Amino acid sequence: MMTGTGETPARKSTAFTPEQRGLLPVLLIPAFMSLLAVSSVNVTLPALDESLQAGPSGLQWVISGYALTFGVLLVAAGRAGDVFGRGKLFVLGLALFGLGSLASGLAPDILLLNLCRVLMGIGSGLLSPQITGIIQQYYQGVQRGKAFGLFGGVVGVSVAVGPVLAGGLIAMFGDEWGWRSSFLINVPIAVFAIVAGFKTLPASAWHGIPASDPTSTQPIRLDADPKKPRADFDPLGMVMLTLAILLVMLPFVEGGAGAWIWWSLVAGVVLLVAWVLWERRYKARGRAPMVDMALFRTRSFASGSLLISLYFLGYTSVWILVAQYMQIGLGHSALAAGMIGLPSALAGAVVSPIAGRYVMAIGRKMVLIGLLVGIAGLLGSAFVVFLHETAGGSEWLLLGTLMLLGIGQGLVVSPNQTLTLADVPLAYAGSAGGILQTGQRLGTAIGIAVITGIAFSVVATSGWDEGFIYGLLVIAAIAFAATAVAVADLLLSRRSRRR
């Protein structure tokens, strides 16, 4: 029996079928590509600025334009996949991402580059929830944990390869064609993935989930006959939520626009409340809402969504601070800045698939252990920088302390995703995955704005060492909050089992 936290004994059948093994590369290669575009961009910013004379505002939108469009589309795209077929949205997202990458690599100025980055964000926003939705759709139990574990491994590899690859391309081709090639490399990957998607995705993936059993959590056989349920997409709910998320994220990614931009946050919260009321009314009329609010009464989903939002609120800023500290603070090259995070990312890539094999048996305790390991890495990194400032210690000791963050990530991100989505009905797998990822994107946008703002203000008065230390300590405090959520979920689970 599945518990509220997804803590179940391992199922007897844990091996992938041949069809499931063939499907995984089709999902994981595009995931690698879209994440590579995120992990590599921080290292390319100095070269990009030199090439296009982008300026601070232009560079900010290289990151935020992608983040905004990616974040606002996740839930709507996930629900569209639920209703119209995840295969269609998967291929469309790949095509837009590949086209945006091609145009970004050839962009003659910063304005066109940022418009192309928006197109990449649209493609990634359409693509990402389909990957998690398809895993939900065709894998179950321990198989699903292993699939999400491999997905987490891909995340780790992309985080490792992205900065090193971008730094290597800049070292090989120079500033001008170095940053351009970091975008152009996505194009052949996108073309390959589109062809593989048409050949490999099952027939049932091209159609929506049958509405006859909207509460089922059981996966669909890969050889199942496709069905064409009546589409119920809730277009007004889609527009309301997309606009609400945009308004909430906007002041955090464009805070330099002035004080007036913060009214956007107020408007976004009001619109979000109105959306919740609309979704309840839509369901009361017997329709299929964009997001069933009953999902948030499932403890595993509610706790997991809050936990991962807090996790991304803090940890995403680590690598931005690391890149800036190494390049601007200490004067290292882009390649060196990428190399400092390599052990961390590789550790996450190794740990995540292993964690996926055991997460259904261990449950949320695994996530709690990962959070504690990550906190140890943050405090250790702050101590290394303190030694560098006060006693001339080597900054390269960060290779070891940051590796703890990678180990922690491998025990947190994919295991939490498996547990959080374990009790979600299949008909809402896409939108639920979209909610999970939207929390991550909101956390990322808010965290980057707040944490880097704090760190850079300290840098202006006290230098890079102290600025980096303050940033790491703020991230550690947020990680403690995520740990409290994990502990509370474990205690509630035990109380539920005693009853």
Side-chain angles (χ1 to χ4, degrees), residues 43 150 213 255 385 388 415:
V43 175
L150 290 169
D213 189 11
V385 179
H388 179 273

Side-chain angles (χ1 to χ4, degrees), residues 24 60 93 99 367 389:
L24 275 174
Q60 172 67 23
L99 182 61
V367 178
E389 179 185 22

